[in-house]
Structures are given as C-alpha cells and as structure tokens.
Amino acid sequence: MGEPVTVNIPHKLGLDEAKKRIGSGIHTLSDVIPGASLTDHHWEGDHLHFTLEAVGQRIASDMHVREDEVYAVLELPPMLAMFANKIKAKLQKEAPKMLE
C-alpha cells in the first residue's frame, strides 16, 4: 500500500462553481509532481477521480468537492512515498490556483 497525501483547500465559491473551475483546471495537477502526466479523470457526483502517472508509477487520486472546501487525496505508490512531504507542500501551493 502507498502513502496517502491529503490536502484541504478552502474556498468561498459554492459547490457548482468550484466543480466548474476544477474541471477546467484539472490539467494543471500534473505540475504537482515533476514529470507527471494526467492520464484519466472522471466525475462521479461531487467526486473527481483522476490518475497521474510519473516515473512509471500510477497515482490514483480523488477530489471531494464540498460547498466550502475541496478535499484532495493522492495515493502515492511506495516508490514515490519518500517524496510525500514535498508533494503535499506543492499540492497545497498549486491546487488553490485551480479555483481562481
């Protein structure tokens, strides 16, 4: 099992606007991990499921969009777990930009 990285991203946009902005900015998430690419994403209600791939590793991820926050979870495979703190810091910095 990998290392989960979790981040809460507060916002004041409301549910629908937050989902709209995340949907149009999802491609920027690959910038969180150098060399990563977004390979899949789909919505199930207010949950965005997406997959990033980096250095041959798959990172299964979710964003749970709520009225006043987005809760993001990236499941890092063991090979990337050693970078969990750096990835979390970068995610905390970059993810809010999707909501701008």
Side-chain angles (χ1 to χ4, degrees):
M1 184 110 188
E3 174 81 19
V5 170
T6 62
V7 174
N8 284 323
I9 307 157
H11 66 82
K12 296 180 183 192
L13 300 171
L15 183 65
D16 292 336
E17 184 63 22
K19 284 177 62 176
K20 178 180 164 187
R21 291 186 188 190
I22 287 172
S24 63
I26 185 70
H27 63 281
T28 63
L29 280 177
S30 59
D31 296 339
V32 171
I33 301 170
S37 60
L38 178 69
T39 59
D40 180 43
H41 68 281
H42 67 278
W43 287 97
E44 286 183 16
D46 298 334
H47 302 280
L48 175 63
H49 304 280
F50 60 99
T51 304
L52 297 169
E53 290 193 18
V55 293
Q57 302 293 303
R58 295 185 67 152
I59 305 165
S61 309
D62 292 292
M63 283 194 175
H64 306 279
V65 182
R66 299 176 181 141
E67 194 68 32
D68 60 352
E69 74 174 352
V70 177
Y71 178 69
V73 180
L74 280 71
E75 293 287 342
L76 299 179
M79 184 175 166
L80 296 175
M82 69 179 92
F83 303 108
N85 290 335
K86 289 183 180 186
I87 291 170
K88 182 173 184 162
K90 181 93 175 198
L91 186 61
Q92 287 174 317
K93 180 181 176 188
E94 298 298 325
K97 293 178 183 177
M98 288 191 315
L99 297 170
E100 294 177 348

